[in-house]
Amino acid sequence: MNRPVAIVSFAQRPAVRRESRFDETEMVQDVVSRALDAAHATIADVGFVCSGSSDFLVGRPFSFVTVIDALGAWPPVSESHVEMDGAFALYEAWVRLQHGDVDVALVYAFGRSSMGDLRSVSTAQLDPYLVAGLGLDSISLAALQARALLEAGTDTEANWAKIAMDRRRAAAENANAQLRTSPDVETLLREPYLTSPLRKHDCPPISDGAAAMVLVGGDRAFDYTVRPVWIRGIDHRAEPHTLGLRTLTDSTSTRLAAERAGAYNGPPPDVLEFHAPFTSQDALLQRVLPIGPNTAVNPSGGALAAHPLMVAGLTRVGEAASRLVRGDGLRAVAHATSGPLLQQNLVAVLEVDP
Amino acid sequence: MSARVAVIGVGQTRHAARRKDVSVSGLVREAVDRALADAELKLSDIDAIVLGKAPDMFEGINRPEAYLVDALGAAGKPIMRVHTAGSVGGSTGIVASHLISASQHRRVLAVAYEKQSESDAMWALSPKYPFQPPMAAGAGGYFAPLIRAYIRRSGAPPHIGTLVAVKDRQNGVRNPYAHLKLEGIDRAMVEASPMLWDPIRYLETCPSSDGACAVILADEAAAALSPRRPAWVHGTAMRTEPMLFAGRDQVSPRAGRDAAKALYAEARITDPVRELQVAELYVPFSWFEPMWLENLGFCAPNEGWKMTESGQTARTGTMPINPSGGVMCSNPIGASGLLRFAEAAQQVRGLAGDLQIDGVRKALGHAYGGGSQFFAMWIVGAEKP
């Protein structure tokens, strides 16, 4: 039986194409101080800190080390870091809170995708001996998967264009999103291919951003908020890296993580926030994750409207939680992805008390 | 409410400057296969995997846990990638142990590696930060001033570093996996070696190694089925302090002292030198042995060098430190911390072979990283906690 753990606050910076005024430490200081303030907490209340980021985005090793300076970590803190999306830092913090000896955890993530050449950064994530040398990157990989989906007959380019339009128009309501308008489907489909069969609108924007979240275990959550968002289940699973060993037209690891997190038990969620950088992946995840007639799907606009790498997954959890706090429903499912072509997926089930 | 955690399998690679006979995945599997053989398990018996390594720039593979899923048999399982600078190997063991103590899984594989020959660690350790003076000196250039501060503060005589280098290298000769095995090492050889970063001589510094380490952790029920004696985790601690803070004592960082204090409290240790029989400490430069002895509370401040000088830290002494030869003999950076944790476990399991110290009931594994600001430690014991 897991200890109940609640999200008690969440803060994010608006995603921007290039954050040129602040460095990573300053961006994290902003979101951490706002998340702590919203919980009426200080770093002294925090029993465990976990963060997510990537050295390759920044282009230098140990990029998370100087960011520690943003925490005011004195006296020293119990702290860990994952070289992954912040959603996986959230998972590590949730595990830490299960022990019951600490009650409050701080999670943060930062990513400045603008710092280098994202396509070559994504190539460097592939098998270095057999695949990376072929020069595949995030967009050409996504195009391979999109082609497989077209040939399977489950998707059309028009379907993807509608997803692009819907997500970015939904983001008009989200001040933290980066792309908040969209032409109509007919206009989008007249655009040339970027990498066939994907057009520019099928791809995520390049974004810089940061986010932070405060988690509290047990009834002490009510000391920090009047409306805790309870994490009812959380799980993550991986798929093979070798593309030939995977079914690109499905997301078996998402389904497994969702099953284990309890996402298919009970009624469909009121809010579903999933982390699909490409329209084709958005369509695919809609077929895998639980959606009912009244489910708000990616009401924030999702990763197609703002995609700060290493932050976008944690932001899905934060957006889902924020909507429950706002009264948009009682139950939400949030999803985050890591690795090429949805290789690894995390699913969390969130609920607020009626 | 924490469940008990046991180490039931340990494996490491042969460490070398260049393991050209294996890929990164081959290197990792060499350690994993040995850990599985030790535990008499298959990859399919593993529920979850925690992978640790130092910066991705060391090999030029961006977040390699994705690529390593196949070699680690991680498909369908959770896999996490930990990175806490030089302490990462220790953190990897601790995060993996938490998955069991939090009752999430029964058997978890902790694996850490570095293949330094596939990149240039000196380059990657000398990043250029905007608005800061460049530090194109690697780790030795960063830590040498801290050692000089320690010598000035403690009044240690200049040969202490030499003594540690000779002792650790003599220990390394007994270690079948060690990278550096310097037969006949003596003080004259160390003192004749070139000065790299005053006062650190060539033979007082760690090598750059290719290597990996794997540890299989289990819950109580899975440990009961294990064919060999387990090592029980009595306590774990991680502490971090900021890098740029004028109030820091970088010679004896508060994060290290606080981590040790929390660790001893959890493991119910009141007098570490009497209650621990051996410790594997992260000593990349010889002088860090006396510095960590003090930081860990093994002796009074400024007295660490006396423990070293008296021979207490030799394998025949009352508080053997690094009977494996430690980081001075093998330094696959990301794996070095997990190697310390693993060697401590082998000592309490009585499976340390030629490295075995008689009568070890409790042992400490230690790792640090960054600018002496990240600390990860555990205490393992032969009995259940």
Side-chain angles (χ1 to χ4, degrees):
Chain A
M1 184 65 187
N2 290 323
R3 182 191 193 197
V5 169
I7 299 165
V8 303
S9 70
F10 174 69
Q12 60 181 311
R13 287 181 66 80
V16 293
R17 174 63 182 81
R18 181 182 294 277
E19 177 61 73
S20 51
R21 286 190 303 157
F22 300 104
D23 68 12
E24 290 85 346
T25 308
E26 292 165 315
M27 291 163 70
V28 167
Q29 186 172 34
D30 173 34
V31 292
V32 162
S33 57
R34 284 196 280 125
L36 288 172
D37 286 351
H40 308 290
T42 72
I43 191 70
D45 296 297
V46 174
F48 185 65
V49 180
C50 197
S51 59
S53 69
S54 164
D55 281 348
F56 255 75
L57 283 187
V58 188
R60 73 169 198 236
F62 305 111
S63 58
F64 63 94
V65 172
T66 45
V67 174
I68 301 288
D69 294 352
L71 300 180
W74 193 264
V77 294
S78 176
E79 188 263 353
S80 186
H81 171 262
V82 294
E83 194 82 353
M84 305 181 82
D85 188 284
F88 294 85
L90 161 68
Y91 177 78
E92 185 179 330
W94 178 86
V95 169
R96 185 67 191 83
L97 290 173
Q98 291 304 311
H99 293 77
D101 59 328
V102 293
D103 293 323
V104 182
L106 170 68
V107 176
Y108 64 88
F110 62 93
R112 278 208 285 176
S113 310
S114 69
M115 295 285 279
D117 173 10
L118 262 198
R119 294 178 77 157
S120 48
V121 166
S122 62
T123 300
Q125 202 182 10
L126 302 171
D127 178 326
Y129 306 101
L130 301 175
V131 183
L134 300 175
L136 287 163
D137 60 31
S138 46
I139 294 176
S140 51
L141 278 168
L144 277 177
Q145 182 180 38
R147 179 64 63 196
L149 290 165
L150 285 180
E151 289 178 357
T154 49
D155 293 84
T156 63
E157 293 173 30
N159 172 31
W160 296 337
K162 181 167 188 317
I163 289 170
M165 179 185 76
D166 288 348
R167 297 289 176 255
R168 285 161 189 152
R169 288 184 177 177
E173 308 289 320
N174 176 6
N176 293 306
Q178 185 178 343
L179 301 182
R180 302 174 63 194
T181 60
S182 173
D184 60 22
V185 168
E186 292 69 31
T187 310
L188 290 174
L189 286 173
R190 282 197 293 272
E191 292 292 315
Y193 290 118
L194 186 62
T195 300
S196 171
L198 298 179
R199 297 176 174 84
K200 191 175 178 187
H201 63 252
D202 294 311
C203 304
I206 296 173
S207 312
D208 291 355
M213 184 179 280
V214 177
L215 305 176
V216 181
D219 285 342
R220 287 211 57 206
F222 292 101
D223 296 345
Y224 295 91
T225 180
V226 292
R227 200 150 172 79
V229 178
W230 299 102
I231 300 173
R232 295 297 186 203
I234 184 167
D235 195 89
H236 62 95
R237 300 282 148 171
E239 284 177 56
H241 184 69
T242 305
L243 295 180
L245 296 178
R246 288 167 61 183
T247 306
L248 294 182
T249 52
D250 196 2
S251 184
T252 55
S253 57
T254 299
R255 184 174 287 109
L256 186 56
E259 272 169 20
R260 299 188 65 98
Y264 302 120
N265 302 339
D270 302 302
V271 176
L272 173 64
E273 278 280 344
F274 58 75
H275 181 185
F278 294 88
T279 55
S280 44
Q281 295 172 346
D282 188 305
L284 170 55
L285 288 173
Q286 287 185 49
R287 294 191 285 272
V288 173
L289 289 165
I291 297 178
N294 298 315
T295 302
V297 178
N298 279 343
S300 71
L304 285 162
H307 195 229
L309 286 163
M310 320 317 289
V311 183
L314 180 64
T315 302
R316 301 283 71 71
V317 183
E319 285 286 351
S322 302
R323 280 173 166 71
L324 296 187
V325 170
R326 196 191 298 168
D328 292 357
L330 298 177
R331 179 178 163 90
V333 170
H335 159 272
T337 195
S338 182
L341 288 185
L342 310 177
Q343 191 192 338
Q344 189 176 5
N345 296 283
L346 177 148
V347 175
V349 176
L350 312 178
E351 286 180 358
V352 285
D353 298 324
Chain B
M1 120 172 226
S2 296
R4 286 178 175 139
V5 183
V7 175
I8 61 165
V10 167
Q12 64 180 289
T13 60
R14 178 175 60 79
H15 309 290
R18 285 178 186 78
R19 284 294 307 272
K20 289 195 168 178
D21 56 322
V22 286
S23 61
V24 167
S25 39
L27 186 77
V28 167
R29 269 301 285 272
E30 187 175 309
V32 170
D33 287 350
R34 284 182 179 143
L36 289 168
D38 181 12
E40 295 183 19
L41 295 174
K42 302 184 296 295
L43 267 180
S44 55
D45 297 317
I46 300 296
D47 302 324
I49 295 154
V50 181
L51 177 75
K53 72 173 299 298
D56 294 353
M57 266 70 178
F58 282 1
E59 291 85 5
I61 311 170
N62 179 14
R63 293 186 280 135
E65 72 279 2
Y67 141 66
L68 286 169
V69 160
D70 298 9
L72 292 170
K77 299 176 188 176
I79 178 170
M80 292 174 67
R81 160 70 191 294
V82 177
H83 178 15
T84 60
S87 66
V88 62
S91 306
T92 303
I94 291 173
V95 172
S97 77
H98 285 168
L99 291 174
I100 293 167
S101 51
S103 301
Q104 297 304 305
H105 298 292
R106 293 193 60 201
R107 292 190 191 94
V108 177
L109 171 64
V111 54
Y113 77 94
E114 212 70 65
K115 202 158 190 294
Q116 292 205 56
S117 68
E118 302 210 359
S119 180
D120 182 346
M122 274 294 283
W123 167 79
L125 284 166
S126 304
K128 190 176 180 313
Y129 295 96
F131 313 116
Q132 288 175 34
M135 192 192 68
Y142 188 91
F143 292 116
L146 307 187
I147 292 171
R148 288 200 296 277
Y150 171 71
I151 293 171
R152 188 167 59 246
R153 179 191 296 189
S154 68
H159 67 282
I160 299 300
T162 313
L163 295 179
V164 176
V166 170
K167 175 202 51 125
D168 281 3
R169 301 205 180 292
Q170 284 174 338
N171 288 344
V173 171
R174 305 169 73 98
N175 183 346
Y177 300 107
H179 171 180
L180 292 183
K181 294 189 182 209
L182 301 178
E183 304 274 354
I185 182 85
D186 61 14
R187 283 177 61 174
M189 278 172 69
V190 175
E191 283 160 5
S193 67
M195 186 66 78
L196 295 183
W197 308 274
D198 193 3
I200 306 170
R201 292 184 181 278
Y202 180 70
L203 285 178
E204 291 179 86
T205 187
C206 55
S208 289
S209 311
D210 290 355
C213 180
V215 173
I216 298 169
L217 297 146
D219 68 5
E220 212 167 346
L225 303 172
S226 180
R228 291 181 184 82
R229 179 197 287 181
W232 295 93
V233 178
H234 286 224
T236 65
M238 294 193 279
R239 286 293 183 281
T240 299
E241 65 186 48
M243 188 171 218
L244 302 175
F245 169 44
R248 290 183 68 204
D249 177 1
Q250 294 204 51
V251 175
S252 187
R254 179 164 174 186
R257 285 184 278 130
D258 287 3
K261 190 176 166 195
L263 179 69
Y264 300 151
E266 188 179 337
R268 297 194 180 87
I269 298 270
T270 51
D271 184 345
V273 173
R274 278 169 62 128
E275 295 172 62
L276 302 169
Q277 286 75 45
V278 65
E280 284 275 343
L281 309 184
Y282 201 110
V283 176
F285 305 103
S286 59
W287 280 95
F288 272 85
E289 175 176 298
M291 289 162 71
W292 292 147
L293 292 173
E294 295 173 23
N295 192 243
L296 286 164
F298 284 12
C299 60
N302 303 322
E303 302 272 313
W305 63 270
K306 293 176 184 168
M307 271 185 85
T308 298
E309 188 178 43
S310 70
Q312 277 189 78
T313 61
R315 55 174 290 113
T316 51
T318 52
M319 185 69 240
I321 303 294
N322 292 333
S324 69
V327 181
M328 292 282 288
C329 295
S330 308
N331 187 29
I333 299 179
S336 289
L338 192 59
L339 284 165
R340 306 282 70 71
F341 279 39
E343 295 286 3
Q346 294 300 74
Q347 289 284 351
V348 299
R349 298 174 77 201
L351 297 176
D354 287 346
L355 311 180
Q356 186 68 47
I357 304 292
D358 285 341
V360 176
R361 309 304 295 165
K362 288 181 185 170
L364 183 146
H366 163 276
Y368 87 103
S372 292
Q373 64 190 121
F374 297 95
F375 291 84
M377 319 174 178
W378 78 5
I379 287 173
V380 283
E383 309 295 333
K384 287 181 186 177

